Amino acid sequence: MKKYFAILFFLSVNFLFAGNLDSLLKLATTKARDTAKVSLLNTIARETMTGGNATKAQDYAQQALGLADSLQFFKGQFQSYYLLAEILRELGNRTKSIELLIKALKLAESSGDKNFVAQGYLNLGFGYFYQVDYPMALKNYYTAMHIASKSNFERTRIKSYGNIAMIHTVTARYDSALFYYRKTLAFYEKNGPKNMLASQYANIGVLMWNTNKHNEALSYFNKSLQAQKELGNTLNQITILMNIGGVYADIKQFDKGIPFLLEALKIAEATKSKNKAMYAHQALALAYRDKNDFLNALKYLELYTELKDSIMHEGNNKNIEEMQTRFDTEKKEKEIQLLQKDKNIRELQMSEQQANINRQRIVIYSVAGGLALILTLIFFIWKSYREKKKINTGLELKNTEINLQKNLIEGKNLLITDSIDYARNIQNAILPSDETIHKNIQDSFILFMPKDIVSGDFYFMKPIGDSVFIASVDCTGHGVPGAFMSVMAFNMLENILADKKLLQPALILDELNKMVLETLHQETENSSAKYGMDISLIAIDKKQNKIEFAGAHNPLCIVRDSKLMEIKADKTTIGMAKEKFTNHVVEVQKNDMLYMFTDGYPDQKGGPQNKKFFVSEFKNLLASISKNNSLQQKEILYKTFTDWKSSSEQIDDVLVIGIRL
């Protein structure tokens, strides 16, 4: 079960009027066509949408936009663009929704109003989230946050915090998510409004769910659901109901959870919200699958696939309709031209009736020849039309067959992807928790960004006596193959420290190398494939204020007073090493910053010339940020990486560990 059906975003559009919908509609009949009526129509559109009638809401928002355009009323135009974008997203047209959000942002920038510019970036980030483009969404949220902070727009800044926290939630950076959630919750509990507090409860519920605190998640979701009902916000009720149903399905209480999902689907269909109906079908397919009710699972999977395909092709259908309209218009014009030509010929024949017989023959022969030519052309056109129609019929049959195969493949992909999601949960479960990390090393951060759902990189921490063992590991490959290696390597490290009782990093790597060789049968030169891992391993002695280090390919970097020192690793790989590993004893000082990392960050391609970031630039970056606190360092590294990568594909798993002594 996916754990983010009920993300509720903090959006930045303010409305001037308050009251129930009936009183607002009555007020609209008496208002003059001025800027106040624009704001009133936008408020009516908002209330109509939250009440569950997105189609009618679209009509009110378009009326508001038309009036705002005629009055050149900037704030009304901005509100209308945003509302129409949100309404079209609910109706399934995501591409048009993004287009309107970009228009709103351009309008805000042309006005010079910094608060509206920040709001524009915030809302555009929301649009990218629904395109599952999390880096672009986060980039826009950070931009909104910086503009709002610099200009002291407190409410917009708090909304940015909330949306940044939600991206951290869906990308499994829970410590960062909790940091921002605490800021937003404290603000809205003190200042309101109630709808923002209700959204905050829902989003913290998502965080609790993702960290397997199911009772706490249900408590927050029920608080949010009660508030959404009091506010009359039907659309948000749908997502909360899906979320509650998802939690119950996650803990195998299907008889409790499925009714919530069915209620959510019923409301989504009644309100014509294609977007939410699509997710409700998906949630029901997963719940019935986990219940082993495969007949219902297949039913809802097919409905989900059909609706998803409809949403994804909304824009294409519109283009086809426009092409058909142009075609019909051109066809009518040609028919008129042919009729006019026939009329001219008849008039010419009548005017020349008195001409001599030879001229009549010439005219008749000419006309006959022309008609013969026209008939010949018509024959070939008709023949070509028949052939094209036959080909098109064949193509339609092929397309139907392809679509059937596509639906089957998408269904299988959904099940495979969900299985890999479970594998990610298993992999995340073996990693040390945030509590374990901060308990043993309070001032530290871990930037962990898998290329795929599961990762070949992993981090390891184990306290033994007065020492703490920490490792960053890069296994052969990424994705599913890398994940298999990472789970195996994690268990081997646990066994070496627990059973072998080896406490020197070099001896630990020697034993790890031996176990990989034996387990994967790589002892002989004839092995057809070689699997292994690169690793940095340190043992921190808290009492003696020293560390021991050993590494395979991956070094240890120490930054002191903004100057970086590198302790080099052995140039070999675990699973292929022939020699013993070197043990380094390093004296350290208070406030020294230690860094361990895999090759994913410096190897990432991007920038203006699409080149690698390179290790030298990466080390310079570490030295420049070393005096910042751990959370700030992590955020700078993340933002630098996403800005450098931009629209390029992430090429490898990324892992960076920072520790301040």
Side-chain angles (χ1 to χ4, degrees):
M1 180 68 66
K2 291 188 177 181
K3 298 186 178 181
Y4 44 87
F5 289 116
I7 294 289
L8 301 177
F9 278 76
F10 297 97
L11 298 161
S12 279
V13 174
N14 300 312
F15 299 92
L16 299 178
F17 293 88
N20 62 51
L21 184 57
D22 290 336
S23 63
L24 293 173
L25 289 169
K26 185 176 181 181
L27 181 60
T29 62
T30 62
K31 275 282 181 186
R33 289 177 60 80
D34 56 11
T35 57
K37 186 161 186 175
V38 174
S39 298
L40 177 58
L41 287 168
N42 277 325
T43 304
I44 291 171
R46 160 63 62 185
E47 293 298 319
T48 303
M49 184 176 68
T50 56
N53 192 338
T55 305
K56 189 65 177 174
Q58 183 181 5
D59 181 54
Y60 287 124
Q62 286 175 334
Q63 289 181 43
L65 179 59
L67 182 55
D69 285 342
S70 67
L71 298 171
Q72 290 296 295
F73 177 35
F74 154 67
K75 291 184 180 179
Q77 291 171 306
F78 184 85
Q79 286 182 335
S80 301
Y81 277 136
Y82 157 67
L83 275 172
L84 283 169
E86 188 177 1
I87 292 165
L88 287 170
R89 176 181 57 75
E90 289 301 329
L91 291 173
N93 194 337
R94 296 182 182 179
T95 303
K96 184 65 176 177
S97 176
I98 288 284
E99 180 184 327
L100 289 172
L101 290 172
I102 292 172
K103 280 186 177 181
L105 178 56
K106 289 180 178 178
L107 184 67
E109 288 178 333
S110 67
S111 75
D113 189 317
K114 293 294 184 184
N115 195 20
F116 274 89
V117 172
Q119 292 174 23
Y121 278 110
L122 195 62
N123 294 334
L124 183 57
F126 172 48
Y128 280 117
F129 175 86
Y130 273 93
Q131 296 287 78
V132 200
D133 191 344
Y134 298 141
M136 280 297 293
L138 195 60
K139 180 179 180 181
N140 281 281
Y141 294 148
Y142 274 126
T143 303
M145 181 186 71
H146 291 315
I147 294 172
S149 298
K150 188 175 181 180
S151 303
N152 294 319
F153 301 131
E154 186 175 20
R155 287 192 175 272
T156 305
R157 176 170 56 84
I158 292 298
K159 290 173 185 176
S160 302
Y161 286 161
N163 285 4
I164 289 169
M166 284 180 278
I167 293 293
H168 287 321
T169 299
V170 299
T171 54
R173 291 190 287 275
Y174 302 125
D175 55 341
S176 297
L178 188 58
F179 170 80
Y180 285 107
Y181 275 141
R182 285 171 177 163
K183 290 178 177 288
T184 55
L185 183 60
F187 179 86
Y188 288 119
E189 284 181 337
K190 181 179 179 181
N191 302 289
K194 189 174 184 178
N195 64 320
M196 304 304 284
L197 184 59
S199 295
Q200 179 73 348
Y201 285 145
N203 295 328
I204 295 177
V206 173
L207 179 60
M208 295 298 106
W209 185 11
N210 276 274
T211 52
N212 296 316
K213 297 175 182 176
H214 298 99
N215 290 333
E216 291 92 331
L218 288 171
S219 175
Y220 278 109
F221 290 142
N222 283 317
K223 283 183 183 180
S224 182
L225 182 60
Q226 181 61 35
Q228 300 294 354
K229 287 180 178 178
E230 292 172 3
L231 291 164
N233 194 327
T234 305
L235 292 180
N236 282 353
Q237 288 178 47
I238 297 170
T239 51
I240 301 299
L241 288 167
M242 281 195 287
N243 215 68
I244 293 173
V247 174
Y248 280 122
D250 207 27
I251 56 178
K252 309 303 180 186
Q253 294 185 20
F254 301 108
D255 292 338
K256 287 185 178 180
I258 288 175
F260 282 100
L261 299 176
L262 290 170
E263 184 181 354
L265 176 59
K266 181 180 178 182
I267 299 172
E269 290 177 336
T271 58
K272 298 182 180 180
S273 174
K274 287 186 179 181
N275 194 59
K276 288 185 171 56
M278 178 185 72
Y279 286 122
H281 284 128
Q282 182 188 30
L284 283 162
L286 295 171
Y288 278 118
R289 184 208 61 185
D290 292 343
K291 190 183 177 184
N292 294 325
D293 184 348
F294 297 110
L295 188 62
N296 272 317
L298 181 60
K299 168 188 170 183
Y300 285 105
L301 177 61
E302 289 175 345
L303 290 169
Y304 161 73
T305 304
E306 180 181 346
L307 194 51
K308 180 182 176 184
D309 189 63
S310 169
I311 290 172
M312 297 304 292
H313 289 82
E314 191 82 28
N316 290 337
N317 291 337
K318 182 179 178 183
N319 290 336
I320 291 170
E321 290 172 1
E322 290 175 351
M323 290 172 63
Q324 184 66 46
T325 300
R326 288 198 300 271
F327 174 79
D328 291 341
T329 302
E330 292 170 0
K331 183 178 179 181
K332 291 291 183 184
E333 290 175 352
K334 288 180 179 178
E335 288 175 353
I336 291 169
Q337 290 173 359
L338 286 173
L339 288 172
Q340 185 63 42
K341 183 176 180 181
D342 289 341
K343 180 181 177 182
N344 292 338
I345 291 172
R346 286 196 301 272
E347 289 177 350
L348 180 63
Q349 289 173 336
M350 290 176 64
S351 66
E352 294 184 351
Q353 282 181 356
Q354 302 304 317
N356 60 64
I357 190 66
N358 292 332
R359 186 174 177 183
Q360 285 182 349
R361 287 176 179 174
I362 293 171
V363 171
I364 291 170
Y365 291 154
S366 298
V367 171
L371 289 174
L373 179 61
I374 290 171
L375 289 172
T376 303
L377 289 173
I378 290 172
F379 171 76
F380 282 111
I381 291 170
W382 174 81
K383 184 178 179 182
S384 175
Y385 168 77
R386 289 291 302 270
E387 290 176 352
K388 287 181 180 178
K389 187 174 180 181
K390 183 178 178 181
I391 292 170
N392 287 338
T393 301
L395 288 174
E396 287 178 3
L397 292 173
K398 287 286 185 183
N399 286 337
T400 301
E401 184 180 348
I402 290 169
N403 285 332
L404 288 173
Q405 293 297 323
K406 175 175 170 287
N407 290 339
L408 288 172
I409 291 169
E410 284 188 350
K412 291 178 181 178
N413 284 343
L414 175 64
L415 297 177
I416 291 169
T417 301
D418 198 58
S419 296
I420 297 175
D421 280 337
Y422 281 118
R424 176 182 62 185
N425 293 337
I426 294 170
Q427 189 178 39
N428 287 341
I430 69 173
L431 296 176
S433 66
D434 293 341
E435 291 80 6
T436 300
I437 293 168
H438 291 299
K439 179 180 177 182
N440 291 282
I441 305 292
Q442 292 187 356
D443 196 355
S444 63
F445 72 85
I446 297 176
L447 178 65
F448 182 45
M449 301 168 61
K451 176 185 182 295
D452 303 305
I453 297 174
V454 288
S455 171
D457 287 8
F458 73 94
Y459 50 94
F460 177 88
M461 173 180 286
K462 190 173 186 66
I464 298 178
D466 294 327
S467 297
V468 179
F469 292 83
I470 305 170
S472 67
V473 188
D474 181 359
C475 296
T476 300
H478 47 73
V480 174
F484 275 114
M485 284 289 293
S486 70
V487 172
M488 181 190 74
F490 187 94
N491 289 330
M492 287 180 176
L493 283 170
E494 284 279 1
N495 291 336
I496 291 169
L497 288 169
D499 300 336
K500 305 289 184 179
K501 300 189 184 302
L502 299 175
L503 302 178
Q504 190 180 83
L507 296 178
I508 294 170
L509 295 194
D510 289 338
E511 183 64 22
L512 181 61
N513 181 65
K514 178 183 175 184
M515 292 177 72
V516 171
L517 286 169
E518 292 174 351
T519 303
L520 299 180
H521 308 294
Q522 298 185 161
E523 306 94 332
T524 66
E525 293 292 334
N526 296 325
S527 297
S528 60
K530 296 294 183 182
Y531 306 97
M533 63 203 74
D534 296 334
I535 182 172
S536 300
L537 174 64
I538 61 172
I540 302 176
D541 189 326
K542 293 183 177 181
K543 282 193 173 182
Q544 298 185 33
N545 201 34
K546 71 174 184 179
I547 63 172
E548 293 186 53
F549 162 75
H553 275 303
N554 292 345
L556 169 68
C557 291
I558 303 173
V559 178
R560 181 180 302 159
D561 297 326
S562 299
K563 294 183 179 179
L564 186 141
M565 301 173 287
E566 180 178 333
I567 312 299
K568 294 188 179 296
D570 292 301
K571 293 184 178 181
T572 187
T573 297
I574 297 293
M576 304 176 195
K578 304 297 183 183
E579 306 293 334
K580 299 292 184 182
F581 284 90
T582 306
N583 200 69
H584 302 268
V585 179
V586 184
E587 296 293 335
V588 292
Q589 298 178 11
K590 185 178 180 181
N591 291 325
D592 279 356
M593 199 68 203
L594 311 182
Y595 296 101
M596 296 186 291
F597 50 87
T598 59
D599 59 2
Y601 199 118
D603 283 353
Q604 178 61 46
K605 290 186 177 181
Q609 298 179 336
N610 198 33
K611 292 184 177 180
K612 289 185 178 181
F613 195 87
F614 290 119
V615 174
S616 58
E617 288 300 319
F618 179 58
K619 290 176 182 177
N620 290 337
L621 176 61
L622 294 179
S624 69
I625 67 173
S626 61
K627 291 187 177 180
N628 292 3
N629 66 48
S630 295
L631 182 58
Q632 290 171 337
Q633 291 189 50
K634 180 177 178 179
E635 296 296 346
I636 292 169
L637 286 170
Y638 178 81
K639 188 174 187 305
T640 303
F641 182 84
T642 53
D643 287 348
W644 176 260
K645 181 174 73 71
S646 186
S647 60
S648 300
E649 181 183 0
Q650 183 173 333
I651 63 173
D652 199 358
D653 301 317
V654 171
L655 173 61
V656 183
I657 301 175
I659 301 165
R660 193 182 301 280
L661 298 176

